[in-house]
């Protein structure tokens, strides 16, 4: 009997809800495969399950559905992963409970592009490490299934990747603690690759959890903050050469800064991260030479640490055993060159002022492949404009940190083949503002007021020979605020 997983929230409930964009479901009746049901997470031992492909293809759409709940009591937010083999098919975090209120969260992820992975029986793993003791009392629970939708006239079978190759060598993310650390995998690839993409998850953890609040190392101590500046970015290489870069979204978890900010609405994508997809198609011919190739991901400015997973998606030419071609040009640089500006002055021994870090990157990569159906020329142009500006006021009784961060991304893929010219353009805007004011009163009590505005905006346009064939817009904004207080003998009130 399959577990029932539903996204419908109950009005008036204290359960966690999100404003994340829902996954559209076709009208056809799906076949479902239960991955696991009612697992309990009360330790750090990964839980395993067996996946068996009992739903016959081809499929118009494949959707992963999962729920994670937490008992009433006390518990941190926890990071969760679901793996098929060594491939990550879900990455997110869980809600924090209240003393008398349990919470659950529902997630859905469109994994249609990973259909090739789902045709083979294999072991699966759920990683949701959780500490339960006399202090942290809440266990977590979870169920998950995959829905396979048959095609109809409105939902035909899409072209999906022929191979999905994880960079992770086992079910588990890679901890990258410095700029030079890498998640890397060496593959002997098929020689008829037409297109290639890399899905990257880079999640901030530990000292890097609030990376957008970090400052340059030379002022970190006096500003009572983390170091390596407020800029992070994932870098992609092939055989050690630059192949792309992936901006890092500033996810804030349900325990982040002030847990009351996220009840009942969590931050953008907090429960269900969206991977950044990089287009590696201009390098397809280079990958088709029959030699081993190493694909790697690192995080620029990582400062202990980022939790990273990635998967390579390959689309093959079924009319050819060897696709030739070449790389035309590549303007990618090995690393970003952020600019840092500091305007910190000492007033009566206290350092008010501003710190700013900016990074502007623009790259063009062009390549071609001689396929069985035509010569295909692909150009990938990417531009990222990043700014993080922080204002500080520090006195013996006042700590103010106001953060204004903007990430603007434009990624365009232009293709010329026998059918003409095609273009796919993704424009993303990720603004974040965090205003924190902490006041220590003369009686020893302390108050913190926090206001946050966090957004994710994504516009996708596809055109064929100058005519728009598809467009979509996603806009998701969360704007919480809270005032939290402490006295000299109690925790928060």
């Amino acid at each position: 009997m399959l577990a029932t997983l539903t996204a419908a929230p109950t009005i008036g409930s204290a359960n966690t809800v999100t404003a994340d964009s829902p996954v559209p479901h076709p009208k056809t009746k799906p076949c479902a495969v239960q991955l696991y049901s009612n697992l309990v997470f009360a330790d750090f031992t990964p839980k395993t399950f067996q996946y068996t492909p009992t739903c016959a293809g081809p499929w118009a759409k494949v959707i992963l559905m999962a729920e994670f709940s937490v008992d009433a009591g006390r518990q941190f937010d926890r990071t969760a992963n679901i793996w098929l083999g060594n491939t990550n098919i879900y990455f997110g975090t869980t809600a924090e409970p209240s003393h008398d209120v349990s919470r659950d969260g529902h997630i859905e992820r469109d994994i249609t592009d990973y259909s090739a992975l789902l045709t083979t029986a294999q072991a699966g793993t759920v990683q949701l490490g959780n500490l339960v003791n006399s202090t942290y009392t809440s266990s977590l629970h979870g169920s998950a299934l995959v829905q396979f939708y048959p095609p109809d006239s409105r939902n035909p079978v899409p072209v999906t990747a022929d191979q999905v190759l994880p960079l992770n060598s086992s079910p588990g993310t890679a901890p990258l603690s410095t700029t030079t650390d890498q998640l890397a995998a060496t593959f002997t690839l098929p020689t008829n690759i037409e297109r290639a993409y890399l899905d990257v998850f880079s999640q901030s953890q530990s000292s890097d959890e609030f990376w957008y609040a970090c400052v340059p190392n030379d002022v970190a101590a006096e500003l009572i903050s983390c170091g390596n500046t407020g800029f992070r970015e994932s870098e992609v290489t092939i055989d050690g050469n630059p192949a792309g870069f992936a901006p890092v979204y500033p996810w804030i978890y349900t325990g982040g800064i002030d847990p009351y900010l996220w009840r009942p609405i969590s931050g953008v994508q907090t429960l269900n991260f969206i991977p950044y997809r990089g287009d590696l198609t201009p390098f397809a011919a280079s990958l088709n030479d029959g030699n081993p190739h190493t694909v790697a991901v690192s995080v620029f400015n990582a400062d202990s640490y980022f939790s990273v997973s990635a998967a390579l998606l390959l689309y093959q030419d079924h009319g050819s055993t060897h696709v030739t071609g070449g790389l035309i040009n590549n303007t990618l640089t090995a690393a970003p060159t952020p600019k840092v500006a500091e305007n910190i002055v000492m007033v009566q021994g206290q350092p008010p002022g501003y710190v700013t870090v900016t990074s502007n990157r623009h790259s063009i990569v062009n390549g071609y492949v001689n396929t069985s159906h035509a010569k295909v020329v692909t150009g990938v142009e990417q531009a990222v404009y990043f700014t993080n500006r922080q204002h500080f006021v520090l006195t013996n009784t006042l700590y103010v940190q106001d953060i204004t961060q903007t990430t603007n991304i434009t990624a365009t893929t232009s293709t010329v083949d026998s059918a003409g010219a095609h273009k796919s353009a993704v424009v993303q805007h990720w603004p974040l503002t965090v205003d924190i004011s902490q006041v220590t009163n003369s009686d020893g009590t302390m108050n913190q007021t926090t206001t946050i505005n966090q957004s994710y905006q994504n516009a996708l346009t596809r055109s064929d020979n100058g005519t728009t064939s598809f467009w979509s817009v996603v806009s998701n904004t969360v704007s919480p605020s809270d005032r939290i207080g402490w006295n000299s003998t109690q925790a928060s009130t």
Side-chain angles (χ1 to χ4, degrees):
M1 188 73 175
L2 295 178
T4 300
L5 301 178
T6 175
T10 301
I11 296 175
S13 167
N15 274 334
T16 300
V17 294
T18 74
D20 296 343
S21 178
V23 177
H25 290 238
K27 299 296 184 182
T28 53
K29 183 178 180 180
C31 172
V33 175
Q34 190 83 38
L35 300 183
Y36 57 89
S37 182
N38 300 319
L39 291 182
V40 178
F41 303 93
D43 54 32
F44 287 87
T45 302
K47 308 297 187 284
T48 60
F49 60 90
Q50 185 63 37
Y51 168 75
T52 303
T54 56
C55 295
W59 309 303
K61 200 162 198 176
V62 183
I63 300 174
L64 170 70
M65 303 177 68
E67 285 183 349
F68 296 102
S69 63
V70 59
D71 296 336
R74 177 183 291 175
Q75 193 53 263
F76 290 116
D77 53 75
R78 299 294 184 179
T79 296
N81 289 271
I82 302 175
W83 305 79
L84 274 185
N86 299 334
T87 302
N88 189 318
I89 60 172
Y90 164 73
F91 200 157
T93 61
T94 63
E96 285 197 353
S98 299
H99 180 72
D100 297 316
V101 179
S102 62
R103 290 188 170 86
D104 60 49
H106 176 94
I107 69 98
E108 296 183 4
R109 183 182 173 197
D110 185 341
I111 56 173
T112 308
D113 286 347
Y114 289 61
S115 292
L117 180 70
L118 300 162
T119 61
T120 304
Q122 57 193 298
T125 307
V126 192
Q127 291 184 321
L128 179 46
N130 185 34
L131 175 65
V132 177
N133 56 26
S134 58
T135 302
Y136 302 104
T137 59
S138 302
S139 294
L140 288 147
H141 310 265
S143 299
L145 57 82
V146 179
Q147 290 185 330
F148 299 84
Y149 286 86
D152 62 8
S153 58
R154 299 189 63 180
N155 298 280
V157 176
V159 177
T160 59
D162 294 287
Q163 293 194 42
V164 179
L165 304 176
L167 269 62
N168 303 76
S169 59
S170 61
T173 57
L176 305 186
S177 295
T178 69
T179 295
T180 57
D181 290 344
Q182 290 187 335
L183 166 63
T186 300
F187 305 101
T188 299
L189 300 169
T191 57
N192 60 344
I193 300 169
E194 245 189 88
R195 292 184 286 141
Y197 303 89
L198 188 70
D199 282 355
V200 178
F201 287 106
S202 292
Q203 183 215 16
S204 53
Q205 292 267 15
S206 189
S207 298
D208 267 326
E209 179 175 345
F210 304 106
W211 60 268
Y212 45 84
C214 296
V215 298
N217 293 336
D218 63 321
V219 294
E222 61 189 285
L223 295 177
I224 318 174
S225 190
C226 46
N228 276 19
T229 79
F231 172 68
R232 305 288 187 272
E233 182 180 84
S234 297
E235 314 301 326
V236 178
T237 60
I238 297 176
D239 299 327
N241 299 310
F245 48 90
V248 176
Y249 189 80
W251 294 305
I252 306 177
Y253 318 133
T254 54
I257 303 175
D258 174 356
Y260 295 103
L261 292 165
W262 316 114
R263 299 176 183 175
I265 300 175
S266 66
V268 175
Q269 298 176 24
T270 295
L271 306 183
N272 188 8
F273 304 156
I274 295 176
Y276 189 89
R277 176 166 293 182
D279 193 339
L280 303 182
T281 299
F283 301 97
S286 305
L287 300 174
N288 284 334
D289 60 6
N291 295 316
H293 292 283
T294 300
V295 181
V297 177
S298 59
V299 178
F300 182 85
N301 273 353
D303 194 25
S304 187
Y305 65 98
F306 271 75
S307 184
V308 178
S309 74
L312 185 63
L313 281 68
L314 303 179
Y315 293 72
Q316 297 170 240
D317 178 7
H318 298 285
S320 174
T321 58
H322 186 199
V323 173
T324 61
L327 185 65
I328 299 171
N329 70 300
N330 179 3
T331 68
L332 279 163
T333 57
T337 54
K339 296 179 179 180
V340 176
E342 299 174 8
N343 184 14
I344 302 294
V345 296
M346 301 298 290
V347 178
Q348 296 181 345
Q350 304 295 334
Y354 293 86
V355 292
T356 303
V357 58
T358 59
S359 176
N360 298 330
R361 300 198 71 181
H362 179 258
S363 67
I364 298 175
V365 186
N366 292 289
Y368 71 97
V369 285
N370 299 308
T371 72
S372 62
H373 47 88
K375 177 181 179 179
V376 181
V377 179
T378 300
V380 175
E381 183 174 3
Q382 189 174 15
V384 179
Y385 301 97
F386 174 92
T387 300
N388 176 289
R389 181 175 172 83
Q390 300 185 50
H391 175 234
F392 289 86
V393 177
L394 279 72
T395 72
N396 292 331
T397 59
L398 177 66
Y399 183 96
V400 172
Q401 184 178 16
D402 294 337
I403 305 166
T404 302
Q405 179 171 296
T406 302
T407 310
N408 293 324
I409 309 161
T410 301
T412 303
T413 297
S414 301
T415 303
V416 178
D417 58 19
S418 60
H422 317 276
K423 182 177 288 187
S424 175
V426 180
V427 178
Q428 299 187 64
H429 182 51
W430 302 346
L432 172 70
T433 60
V434 180
D435 296 335
I436 303 171
S437 177
Q438 192 174 92
V439 178
T440 301
N441 302 306
S442 59
D443 61 358
T445 61
M446 186 168 61
N447 301 315
Q448 177 178 298
T449 302
T450 305
T451 301
I452 294 178
N453 185 284
Q454 181 191 38
S455 288
Y456 173 86
Q457 298 170 24
N458 181 309
L460 167 63
T461 304
R462 294 184 185 134
S463 62
D464 299 289
N465 297 316
T467 301
T468 299
S469 56
F470 177 85
W471 64 272
S472 67
V473 175
V474 174
S475 181
N476 184 356
T477 300
V478 177
S479 300
S481 62
D482 186 52
R483 183 177 182 271
I484 188 171
W486 296 265
N487 63 34
S488 57
T489 61
Q490 293 180 321
S492 61
T493 58

